Every structure is written in C-alpha cells, then in structure tokens.
Amino acid sequence: MSCLVVTVRLWVKEGRFSEFADFEAGAFEIMAHHGVEIVSIVQDHAQTLSAAPMKRIF
C-alpha cells in the first residue's frame, strides 16, 4: 500500500478553541474509521495571535 502524507494548516478564530476542539475530535474519529493515522499535531499559540495557522500533519 502506498503512503500519502497530507499537511493541513488551520486557523482558529480567537475565543473559539473549545468549539474547534469538539469539531477536531469528531473529525479524528471519522478519519480513524478510514484508516487515517495522525502523525503529528503542532499548536503554536504565538502564531495564532499573529493570524498564522496551527499545523496538522496526517
């Protein structure tokens, strides 16, 4: 089976991190049913404050 790596950069609106965490948990569950493995999650809150993304690597 071939391997595909997808890097995702997401911006979360200030004050909505808990809503995003709920969405993310559900999305991870759905992806797991399709065989997706989360390799790395990087959260850089300093970048968030400067309108830069949090990075997800799948």
Side-chain angles (χ1 to χ4, degrees):
M1 177 185 280
S2 65
C3 178
L4 176 66
V5 176
V6 177
T7 301
V8 179
R9 299 178 79 182
L10 303 171
W11 285 261
V12 179
K13 292 183 179 183
E14 190 173 333
R16 302 201 56 191
F17 287 104
S18 63
E19 290 176 49
F20 179 76
D22 292 342
F23 163 78
E24 185 177 57
F28 287 172
E29 188 175 317
I30 291 168
M31 289 185 286
H33 288 297
H34 294 281
V36 174
E37 176 186 359
I38 307 300
V39 177
S40 175
I41 297 174
V42 178
Q43 296 180 351
D44 187 339
H45 295 286
Q47 285 187 345
T48 303
L49 295 175
S50 66
M54 292 192 297
K55 187 183 291 185
R56 304 284 188 247
I57 301 174
F58 301 95

